[in-house]
Amino acid sequence: MDETQFVVGVDVGGQTSKLGVVDARGEVLAQSVIRTDTFGTDADAYISALAEAIKKIIAEADKEGQIRGVGVGAPNGNYYTGAIAFAPNLAWAANGSVDFAKMLSKKLGGLPVSLTNDANAAAVGEMTYGVARGMKNFIMITLGTGVGSGIVVNGQVVYGHDGFAGELGHTNVVRYNGRTCGCGKQGCLEAYCSAIGVAKTAREWLESSKEESILRDVVDITSKDVYEAAKAGDALAIRVFEYTGMLLGRSFADFVAFSAPEAIVLFGGLARSKEFLYEPILNSMNENLLPIWKGKVKILFSQLKESDAAILGASALAWEL
Amino acid sequence: MDETQFVVGVDVGGQTSKLGVVDARGEVLAQSVIRTDTFGTDADAYISALAEAIKKIIAEADKEGQIRGVGVGAPNGNYYTGAIAFAPNLAWAANGSVDFAKMLSKKLGGLPVSLTNDANAAAVGEMTYGVARGMKNFIMITLGTGVGSGIVVNGQVVYGHDGFAGELGHTNVVRYNGRTCGCGKQGCLEAYCSAIGVAKTAREWLESSKEESILRDVVDITSKDVYEAAKAGDALAIRVFEYTGMLLGRSFADFVAFSAPEAIVLFGGLARSKEFLYEPILNSMNENLLPIWKGKVKILFSQLKESDAAILGASALAWEL
């Protein structure tokens, strides 16, 4: 472990960006948050603000001259090109491609910047600091507003031919009459198993039945409401998670057939509903696996400290610089 | 290119095993065929016969002392363990695990032996000598009696945690009321898009309709019969290939979301029906791809000389020894 070098991790989210100075042990020495959504379509203004915030936390941690590089996780971030392109939730990168890594590096006096999408960053974070430590083959699934994924094969993130590998949220899980996904396709995993998908399932089931449920009193149901209802013993809410877990499990069985991972690691807001998701996922996955894998693939839930996880994931990228 | 070193490639099939001495350019200098299925459950007897045949072709090519190693492609061959286990089509490895690589190496005086499954061997062959030369990211799909796959990421075959990665024939392609596959699961790609699957589709369609077709005169329809009928302009036979291609294409779209390959390469008996499969596959894949990949992923058909392809694929493994 190099005690004299440090990295910066940046997690670019739709509303806020979290950043921190991290040591080789994964301790966050200084951190900060800036808004992502107050710069309109002006990418340069956002990146300038980010560069200033980075300089500030480096100074705060008293590590000037000891920073090896900056790792950034961002929606639609491309590892090969360093660009963020057509990211619907980032106004300044929604309608074109932004040379993010290059621009940020320039504003930081040439400090190397490595960029990838948020799910890949999370995978690197888990492998470096989390439950996947020591694993060479695993799949990270992020269950948030959408469903993202980062695939690790032989100890390396799979970027593919063009840097966009690992879009497992947009593989098919319901072929017949599948829900329309935000991407325009039908029946994608994300349309069912994201936070938005879970809320939608609950709303659909409430509409199509007369079953009693405390969710009937909730306006604009979110996945958090469904979780609270399940915790309160609401039968319909519990079944929503069983259904979500069943769908995740059958998709996971196909993912296992691809890369034969040691584990599938779940991360993100929805993964906090572990108590209702774990068994349905595991049972459904094992039902759909080939005999050689039945009972052998672990389903793990990230245990990284919520507030640090995103920063750690992104920062871990910078160690490879 | 090393002009003084040579390798041996062995393709273990259910009925026959093909073997050859290969140079670094991919020229087969001497080759031979032995039966695989005349040894009952006696793995040792088969491996002894194979070792003798290997020694014979090495002598025939006059390359004693210049052989770097032996590469073997076999059903259910495991790269990590060197074992063939529970391979339904190999009587001597159907009900247990055979330490194939170790046993063969011993009978060849310690010559290194590398083993993998047949589809992975084909992928290595395409990458070394075929249409995937120079590609770092592609997926090999073998369309034979079954549907096999070999996945290459970053220039390396994906073996996964346990050596069994790349069972894409057993990912789901029909969720609702899917055909039962030989593996016991329902709706697997292999149940529809293998040679057996194609023949089954034709038989089902003939039974469920009164449509005229020259296939009505055929007893025990095979995929070859369907191909001949399609060539003769038979509308039903042509639609069987369109349906098969549609299913392959939608599965391929999900595979692309996993590893973002530059191309998907098709190999095996059924791939000879390229004229009827190519467009349905390409159209269906592009319909189901995320916008970032539409029109960008190639569908290629192996062009390796049929008689050499299997040997070359296996032999290419040995260069890595």
Side-chain angles (χ1 to χ4, degrees):
Chain A
M1 200 179 306
D2 188 337
E3 307 272 354
T4 64
Q5 285 218 307
F6 303 86
V7 292
V8 172
V10 179
D11 175 63
V12 179
Q15 295 181 303
T16 60
S17 301
K18 302 179 190 91
L19 51 153
V21 176
V22 180
D23 71 14
R25 263 186 234 92
E27 293 293 321
V28 180
L29 308 179
Q31 58 181 306
S32 163
V33 178
I34 65 165
R35 293 296 293 257
T36 311
D37 57 359
T38 50
F39 300 89
T41 58
D42 191 347
D44 194 73
Y46 166 72
I47 297 170
S48 290
L50 179 61
E52 287 315 305
I54 289 172
K55 286 180 197 163
K56 214 167 138 193
I57 55 167
I58 294 173
E60 206 181 305
D62 201 14
K63 302 300 175 200
E64 288 101 338
Q66 292 172 269
I67 302 293
R68 180 136 150 202
V70 179
V72 182
N76 288 25
N78 189 301
Y79 181 74
Y80 293 145
T81 64
I84 302 177
F86 300 100
N89 299 323
L90 305 174
W92 41 266
N95 298 305
S97 183
V98 174
D99 252 348
F100 195 93
K102 207 175 288 172
M103 288 166 76
L104 181 59
S105 175
K106 206 171 163 194
K107 289 182 200 289
L108 293 171
L111 206 61
V113 174
S114 187
L115 173 81
T116 191
N117 78 41
D118 35 2
N120 286 340
V124 177
E126 273 324 309
M127 184 166 53
T128 315
Y129 305 114
V131 291
R133 215 175 325 189
M135 287 191 193
K136 294 251 173 211
N137 294 278
F138 70 98
I139 297 176
M140 182 87 194
I141 301 285
T142 60
L143 300 172
T145 318
V147 174
S149 63
I151 301 156
V152 173
V153 164
N154 247 335
Q156 295 182 312
V157 172
V158 175
Y159 294 112
H161 178 55
D162 55 12
F164 289 118
E167 284 290 352
L168 299 183
H170 299 287
T171 57
N172 186 286
V173 71
V174 175
R175 296 257 179 226
Y176 181 74
N177 227 341
R179 259 181 214 166
T180 300
C181 182
C183 75
K185 304 204 303 161
Q186 288 200 310
C188 290
L189 189 61
E190 174 165 307
Y192 291 86
C193 301
S194 59
I196 290 172
V198 164
K200 195 165 183 179
T201 301
R203 286 195 299 261
E204 280 181 7
W205 289 9
L206 288 167
E207 269 172 43
S208 66
S209 85
K210 303 215 180 253
E211 183 176 350
E212 269 186 52
S213 166
I214 51 179
L215 287 168
R216 293 208 180 268
D217 302 327
V218 183
V219 184
D220 289 334
I221 294 170
T222 65
S223 63
K224 197 157 170 283
D225 297 323
V226 184
Y227 174 67
E228 298 296 341
K231 275 200 90 122
D234 189 83
L236 185 139
I238 291 171
R239 284 211 317 283
V240 168
F241 281 111
E242 285 169 358
Y243 176 71
T244 306
M246 182 276 288
L247 292 178
L248 284 169
R250 75 187 197 191
S251 281
F252 290 0
D254 282 352
F255 302 163
V256 170
F258 204 102
S259 67
E262 181 175 352
I264 292 179
V265 180
L266 301 178
F267 178 86
L270 203 59
R272 269 173 270 159
S273 308
K274 175 179 174 180
E275 57 195 295
F276 300 109
L277 282 174
Y278 177 69
E279 286 195 18
I281 291 175
L282 196 67
N283 293 341
S284 164
M285 181 178 77
N286 279 321
E287 257 169 48
N288 288 285
L289 280 176
L290 284 178
I292 42 168
W293 288 309
K294 272 187 207 294
K296 290 190 184 154
V297 182
K298 298 173 207 142
I299 299 290
L300 302 174
F301 287 73
S302 171
Q303 290 167 359
L304 289 180
K305 216 172 98 193
E306 186 88 22
S307 55
D308 294 352
I311 293 171
L312 284 180
S315 76
L317 262 187
W319 289 112
E320 294 172 9
L321 281 165
Chain B
M1 202 178 307
D2 189 335
E3 307 273 353
T4 63
Q5 287 218 306
F6 303 86
V7 291
V8 173
V10 179
D11 176 61
V12 179
Q15 294 181 303
T16 61
S17 302
K18 301 179 190 91
L19 51 153
V21 176
V22 180
D23 72 12
R25 261 183 237 94
E27 293 294 320
V28 180
L29 308 179
Q31 58 182 304
S32 164
V33 178
I34 66 165
R35 293 296 294 255
T36 311
D37 57 359
T38 49
F39 300 90
T41 58
D42 191 347
D44 194 75
Y46 165 73
I47 296 171
S48 291
L50 179 61
E52 287 316 305
I54 289 172
K55 285 179 197 161
K56 214 168 139 192
I57 54 168
I58 293 173
E60 205 181 306
D62 200 15
K63 302 300 176 201
E64 287 101 338
Q66 293 173 266
I67 301 293
R68 180 136 148 200
V70 179
V72 182
N76 289 23
N78 189 302
Y79 181 75
Y80 293 145
T81 64
I84 302 177
F86 300 100
N89 299 323
L90 304 174
W92 42 265
N95 299 308
S97 182
V98 174
D99 252 347
F100 194 93
K102 208 175 285 173
M103 288 166 74
L104 181 59
S105 174
K106 204 171 165 193
K107 289 182 200 290
L108 292 171
L111 206 60
V113 174
S114 187
L115 173 81
T116 191
N117 79 40
D118 35 2
N120 286 340
V124 176
E126 274 322 311
M127 183 164 57
T128 315
Y129 305 115
V131 292
R133 214 173 326 185
M135 285 190 195
K136 294 252 172 209
N137 293 278
F138 70 98
I139 297 175
M140 183 87 193
I141 301 285
T142 60
L143 301 171
T145 318
V147 173
S149 64
I151 300 156
V152 173
V153 163
N154 247 334
Q156 295 182 313
V157 173
V158 175
Y159 294 111
H161 178 56
D162 55 12
F164 290 118
E167 285 289 353
L168 299 184
H170 299 286
T171 57
N172 186 285
V173 71
V174 174
R175 295 257 179 227
Y176 181 73
N177 226 343
R179 262 183 212 164
T180 299
C181 182
C183 74
K185 303 204 303 162
Q186 288 199 310
C188 290
L189 190 61
E190 174 165 306
Y192 291 86
C193 300
S194 59
I196 290 171
V198 164
K200 194 163 184 183
T201 301
R203 287 197 297 263
E204 281 181 6
W205 289 9
L206 288 167
E207 270 172 43
S208 65
S209 83
K210 303 214 180 252
E211 183 178 349
E212 270 186 51
S213 167
I214 51 179
L215 287 168
R216 294 208 180 269
D217 302 328
V218 183
V219 184
D220 289 334
I221 294 171
T222 65
S223 62
K224 198 157 171 283
D225 296 323
V226 184
Y227 174 67
E228 298 295 343
K231 275 200 91 118
D234 189 83
L236 185 139
I238 291 171
R239 284 210 319 283
V240 168
F241 281 110
E242 285 169 357
Y243 176 71
T244 307
M246 182 276 288
L247 292 178
L248 284 168
R250 76 186 195 190
S251 281
F252 289 1
D254 282 352
F255 303 164
V256 170
F258 204 101
S259 67
E262 181 175 352
I264 292 178
V265 181
L266 301 178
F267 178 86
L270 202 60
R272 269 173 269 159
S273 307
K274 176 180 173 179
E275 58 196 293
F276 301 110
L277 281 174
Y278 177 68
E279 286 195 18
I281 291 175
L282 197 66
N283 292 341
S284 163
M285 181 178 77
N286 280 321
E287 258 169 47
N288 288 284
L289 280 176
L290 284 179
I292 43 168
W293 288 308
K294 273 187 206 295
K296 291 189 183 154
V297 182
K298 298 174 207 140
I299 299 291
L300 302 174
F301 287 73
S302 171
Q303 290 168 358
L304 289 179
K305 218 172 96 191
E306 186 88 23
S307 56
D308 294 352
I311 293 172
L312 284 181
S315 76
L317 261 188
W319 288 112
E320 294 174 9
L321 281 165

